[in-house]
Amino acid sequence: MTTTSKKIIIAPLNWGLGHTTRCIPIINALILEKFTPIIASDGNALEFLKQEFPTLQTILLPSYNITYGKNLKLSLLLQLPKIIKAVQQEHAVIEHFVAANKDVVGLISDNRFGVRNNTIPSVYITHQLNVLSGFTSMLTSKIHQNIIKKFHECWVPDQLNSEFSGKLSISNQPLNQKFIGVLSRFKKQKLPEVIDVLVIVSGPEPNRANFEKKLISEFKNDTRNIVFVLGIVEKHQKKWKENNCTFYNYVLSSELESFINSSKVVVCRSGYTSIMDLAVLEKKVFFIPTKNQEEQEYLATYLNKKKTAPFSNLIDFTIEKLDQIVTYKGLNAQVHTLDNVLFGLFHGK
């Protein structure tokens, strides 16, 4: 008699690659716990995870297709009807799949509102129990918390004292939240630091392209060994050189892990997943938060006040500002091991 494999759908939001890459340690942990993960997403997020886990089954979900405008809050408000429609569509896709596949025993959503089901355990991953949006922060936080309440559990990737997420993850609301520790796909290695500056370009367009253009302009005459990872996920990896800079359109986890371990300094956005990855690898970093993305601006300011890492906005950044790093302590954290206690709800425990 054969036993049916217990399947769990894991679905990251396709918005940059942060939501996607922090799901990698969860997927690996599920496999170790004898579950069969099914990846559900769209766009670059789905393509990236297909390359990381080529043998796993995938589900194509409707795209939220969120775009940036000059005014981020107004832009998101105008796109709200489109986002709601996409959430309804993805919920229908998940409901149909769960109904047709009785071996699916759980759902894990990283900021995808429609990936939930009332009949099986549904988990929501976020470090933003509070969503910062200026004078509307109370409203956006309340809306997000009401979404979280529709899930059975909320997993917060941080320490209990909100060490890296600060006020973003502090809430007295009963959200069934569990602090699951720092999540990272990476491991610390002692490698020769042959890369002087590693520039990791990420985020939705057009901000990703603007970041790339500005940083290339700043480093084009630099004589040090500079490596750019551009965050453009394509079918095939590309590598080329210009002056003293080496460029990659994208790299998968193992190669990026090696690059970061081999770098003296990292320059990147202050996205939360990047912060967790760099903390596990104990790196000195210079942050350039995305303009008008209040979460990144808050995190950069928060870590700067703790003398962990300096930051600059994009327009004011110059390579001379990297000299500030010597007066900052850098990021440092121990990665948390995900185990059968955390996954107990999928075992019916």
Side-chain angles (χ1 to χ4, degrees):
M1 181 177 177
T2 58
T3 57
T4 304
S5 172
K6 292 182 177 181
K7 296 178 180 177
I8 294 179
I9 296 172
I10 183 161
L13 178 65
N14 179 34
W15 187 338
L17 286 178
H19 298 286
T20 307
T21 57
R22 74 181 182 189
C23 285
I24 290 174
I26 296 176
I27 294 171
N28 286 324
L30 287 170
I31 293 170
L32 286 175
E33 290 295 321
K34 309 301 181 185
F35 291 105
T36 301
I38 299 173
I39 297 165
S41 194
D42 68 282
N44 282 349
L46 186 59
E47 183 61 37
F48 186 89
L49 289 176
K50 278 182 177 180
Q51 296 195 40
E52 288 281 340
F53 300 98
T55 64
L56 294 184
Q57 181 181 355
T58 60
I59 302 170
L60 176 62
L61 295 178
S63 175
Y64 287 21
N65 200 24
I66 300 168
T67 56
Y68 277 92
K70 290 184 178 179
N71 185 320
L72 178 60
K73 281 181 281 191
L74 178 61
S75 177
L76 288 174
L77 181 63
L78 293 174
Q79 294 175 79
L80 196 56
K82 175 182 69 175
I83 296 169
I84 292 172
K85 184 178 179 180
V87 170
Q88 292 170 338
Q89 290 173 339
E90 81 176 354
H91 186 61
V93 170
I94 292 298
E95 292 283 277
H96 178 76
F97 190 92
V98 170
N101 296 269
K102 300 302 182 185
D103 51 356
V104 176
V105 298
L107 300 169
I108 301 176
S109 164
D110 191 322
N111 278 259
R112 294 197 82 118
F113 306 151
V115 180
R116 55 185 174 80
N117 183 278
N118 290 331
T119 63
I120 58 175
S122 303
V123 172
Y124 189 78
I125 299 174
T126 186
H127 60 282
Q128 293 186 80
L129 303 182
N130 299 303
V131 179
L132 303 185
S133 58
F135 68 91
T136 60
S137 291
M138 187 176 293
L139 175 62
T140 51
S141 297
K142 183 68 174 176
I143 292 171
H144 196 213
Q145 288 165 11
N146 285 338
I147 291 169
I148 294 170
K149 288 176 182 177
K150 295 179 180 179
F151 291 76
H152 295 93
E153 285 187 2
C154 175
W155 291 354
V156 181
D158 200 351
Q159 315 291 1
L160 268 173
N161 62 354
S162 298
E163 180 180 356
F164 296 102
S165 53
K167 68 181 180 182
L168 296 179
S169 63
I170 298 172
S171 174
N172 294 323
Q173 290 294 311
L175 303 172
N176 208 11
Q177 61 264 48
K178 286 184 177 178
F179 281 77
I180 64 173
V182 170
L183 279 181
S184 177
R185 54 187 160 149
F186 296 143
K187 291 182 180 178
K188 173 72 176 174
Q189 301 173 56
K190 290 188 177 180
L191 299 178
E193 294 183 338
V194 295
I195 299 172
D196 292 306
V197 182
L198 174 64
V199 181
I200 303 174
V201 184
S202 61
E205 300 294 357
N207 289 311
R208 191 213 60 80
N210 294 337
F211 185 91
E212 174 188 333
K213 183 178 178 180
K214 170 68 173 178
L215 271 291
I216 289 175
S217 174
E218 286 297 323
F219 283 105
K220 65 182 179 182
N221 296 319
D222 201 301
T223 58
R224 294 171 293 179
N225 180 24
I226 314 294
V227 174
F228 278 79
V229 177
L230 298 180
I232 303 172
V233 181
E234 297 173 310
K235 289 288 184 183
H236 302 287
Q237 187 186 70
K238 299 171 187 173
K239 175 185 176 181
W240 65 98
K241 278 197 148 189
E242 293 178 17
N243 302 319
N244 289 312
C245 298
T246 303
F247 294 86
Y248 294 82
N249 56 342
Y250 76 96
V251 295
L252 293 179
S253 295
S254 59
E255 196 166 14
L256 185 58
E257 177 183 72
S258 177
F259 283 178
I260 298 174
N261 275 303
S262 302
S263 65
K264 296 173 183 174
V265 171
V266 176
V267 178
C268 66
R269 296 295 197 189
S270 49
Y272 190 65
T273 299
S274 297
I275 291 169
M276 289 193 294
D277 286 339
L278 294 167
V280 168
L281 300 185
E282 301 174 9
K283 279 295 157 182
K284 293 271 192 172
V285 57
F286 192 100
F287 287 123
I288 303 178
T290 302
K291 185 179 180 181
N292 294 327
Q293 189 167 324
E294 297 199 32
E295 175 211 357
Q296 288 195 12
E297 292 175 336
Y298 164 73
L299 288 170
T301 303
Y302 171 67
L303 294 172
N304 180 67
K305 286 180 179 177
K306 293 178 69 174
K307 294 301 290 182
T308 301
F311 77 97
S312 166
N313 61 40
L314 184 62
I315 196 169
D316 293 331
F317 175 76
T318 62
I319 58 174
E320 288 76 21
K321 289 194 173 186
L322 293 183
D323 294 339
Q324 299 174 27
I325 284 180
V326 296
T327 64
Y328 287 76
K329 60 187 177 183
L331 290 160
N332 189 301
Q334 294 295 315
V335 70
H336 185 75
T337 302
L338 305 172
D339 54 26
N340 61 350
V341 175
L342 181 65
F343 298 139
L345 77 167
F346 303 128
H347 289 294
K349 297 177 182 178

